[in-house]
Amino acid sequence: MEVANQSIVVEFVLLGLSDQPRLEKTFFVLILLMYLVILLGNGVLILVTVSDSHLHMPMYFFLRNLSFLDICYTTSSIPLVLDGFLTPRKTISFSGCAVQMFLSFAMGATECVLLGMMAFDRYVAICNPLRYPVVMSKAAYVPMAASSWVAGGANSLVQISLAVQLPFCGDNIINHFTCEILAVLKLACADISINVISMGVANVIFLGVPVLFISVSYICILTTILRIPLAEGRRKAFSTCSAHLTVVVIFCGTILFMYAKPKSKDPLGADKQDVSDKLISLFYGVLIPMLNPIIYSLRNKDVKAAVRSLVSQKCFTQR
């Protein structure tokens, strides 16, 4: 479909793995199973942290937000991906594409800020434990979490508003599984330098600043832990932030791998790299939300105890 300007664009075609149909059925089953694990794992984590009064603390309040965010993030794109694996012609309306871009972009930015908030919580808990109840009171941590959602939504609104104003007058095929904003911008027949600059600034603010803040926080945390004289005390202190640190390393490491690796100059290699980039982006979108509840439950005694208590209560009720 060729169009003269944005006003008459009615749909985009999602390329996905159309050129490799044998892989589509395999990836459909794999992504579906991972999506179900995401819904179950994060849903249970939210239920446990809400129902157990021992987990009504700032750290678990942020964790509930993170689990809900992961559910929203994957739900904004995975159903579209799954439908694309089974549909011969994978199309999405222009407005639907804009909504999907907004949701995924907002959730991604919000998660970066939220991980920074969680790092600050761990910093105060370990480096200033006596002031923790005052600094991380309910009057503080609730607005902190709310501000991360507002900031992510505002950033996404700016980026998507700039994107939808562009004219699309040529190819309408998006070389991706979803309406990934960089893939959509490639289809614009106008100068996208403002979009690129805006996204660069947003990346610095919503990725660079949180990563720097998290790094400084953990330098202070590790310095404090190493000053603890007893090994048992050091182990206990580190265990309270190891789950969050693991999630941050996986989250940031995946992003750096996606955007920092060199591009192929060979046309055939570039085609293979396009497939690789799409698959990495796809699994990034499901792997981290799937791992988050697993990491936090396996590396946290309080969460494991709450899960066991919830399961035992359900079993007792059924009897």
Side-chain angles (χ1 to χ4, degrees):
M1 179 182 60
E2 294 187 359
V3 294
N5 52 54
Q6 177 187 323
S7 63
I8 59 174
V9 171
V10 294
E11 66 178 14
F12 290 108
V13 177
L14 299 171
L15 189 59
L17 289 176
S18 300
D19 54 342
Q20 302 184 49
R22 292 184 179 181
L23 291 178
E24 289 188 314
K25 301 300 184 290
T26 301
F27 279 108
F28 173 83
V29 175
L30 183 59
I31 298 301
L32 177 61
L33 291 176
M34 294 176 73
Y35 181 53
L36 293 176
V37 172
I38 290 169
L39 296 180
L40 178 62
N42 286 286
V44 169
L45 198 55
I46 292 173
L47 178 62
V48 167
T49 55
V50 169
S51 61
D52 194 315
S53 59
H54 296 95
L55 302 182
H56 291 177
M57 295 185 292
M59 179 173 68
Y60 299 107
F61 177 78
F62 289 127
L63 184 56
R64 283 198 296 274
N65 276 265
L66 182 64
S67 293
F68 180 68
L69 185 149
D70 285 338
I71 291 175
C72 294
Y73 178 76
T74 52
T75 301
S76 70
S77 58
I78 297 304
L80 178 64
V81 173
L82 294 174
D83 179 67
F85 283 140
L86 300 178
T87 306
R89 180 176 172 81
K90 309 162 186 65
T91 61
I92 183 172
S93 66
F94 184 87
S95 58
C97 187
V99 170
Q100 196 271 318
M101 284 193 296
F102 172 81
L103 292 175
S104 60
F105 210 89
M107 297 301 108
T110 301
E111 182 160 359
C112 292
V113 178
L114 194 60
L115 289 174
M117 301 287 188
M118 296 173 75
F120 178 75
D121 172 76
R122 293 299 83 206
Y123 164 78
V124 178
I126 294 175
C127 299
N128 296 281
L130 297 180
R131 289 180 52 82
Y132 183 77
V134 177
V135 176
M136 295 304 297
S137 64
K138 189 173 183 179
Y141 68 76
V142 171
M144 287 170 64
S147 66
S148 67
W149 286 90
V150 172
N155 172 58
S156 181
L157 184 61
V158 171
Q159 305 303 328
I160 305 308
S161 296
L162 291 174
V164 298
Q165 293 178 31
L166 292 170
F168 294 89
C169 54
D171 191 2
N172 70 327
I173 298 176
I174 299 176
N175 189 19
H176 213 280
F177 297 101
T178 62
C179 288
E180 203 272 336
I181 190 167
L182 294 177
V184 173
L185 290 178
K186 291 180 181 179
L187 304 181
C189 54
D191 183 15
I192 61 171
S193 58
I194 294 179
N195 303 76
V196 173
I197 293 173
S198 177
M199 290 185 64
V201 172
N203 287 337
V204 171
I205 295 174
F206 289 92
L207 181 59
V209 172
V211 168
L212 179 61
F213 182 79
I214 292 169
S215 300
V216 172
S217 297
Y218 272 102
I219 289 173
C220 296
I221 289 171
L222 292 175
T223 302
T224 301
I225 290 176
L226 292 175
R227 290 175 181 171
I228 299 176
L230 298 177
E232 179 63 20
R234 291 195 297 269
R235 185 197 63 79
K236 185 176 180 180
F238 185 74
S239 66
T240 64
C241 58
S242 59
H244 175 257
L245 183 59
T246 303
V247 170
V248 169
V249 170
I250 295 174
F251 180 78
C252 297
T254 306
I255 292 178
L256 290 175
F257 177 78
M258 287 172 58
Y259 292 104
K261 58 184 177 20
K263 300 296 183 180
S264 174
K265 295 182 179 180
D266 176 64
L268 182 59
D271 291 339
K272 292 180 179 179
Q273 190 170 38
D274 284 341
V275 175
S276 174
D277 289 345
K278 288 189 290 185
L279 291 177
I280 291 173
S281 178
L282 175 62
F283 280 99
Y284 161 76
V286 294
L287 186 62
I288 294 178
M290 184 182 71
L291 289 178
N292 282 352
I294 297 174
I295 292 172
Y296 277 103
S297 60
L298 292 179
R299 302 184 67 88
N300 190 298
K301 293 181 179 179
D302 294 335
V303 173
K304 287 190 287 187
V307 171
R308 285 195 295 267
S309 176
L310 181 64
V311 171
S312 62
Q313 289 178 7
K314 293 294 183 182
C315 293
F316 180 78
T317 303
Q318 290 178 354
R319 291 179 184 176

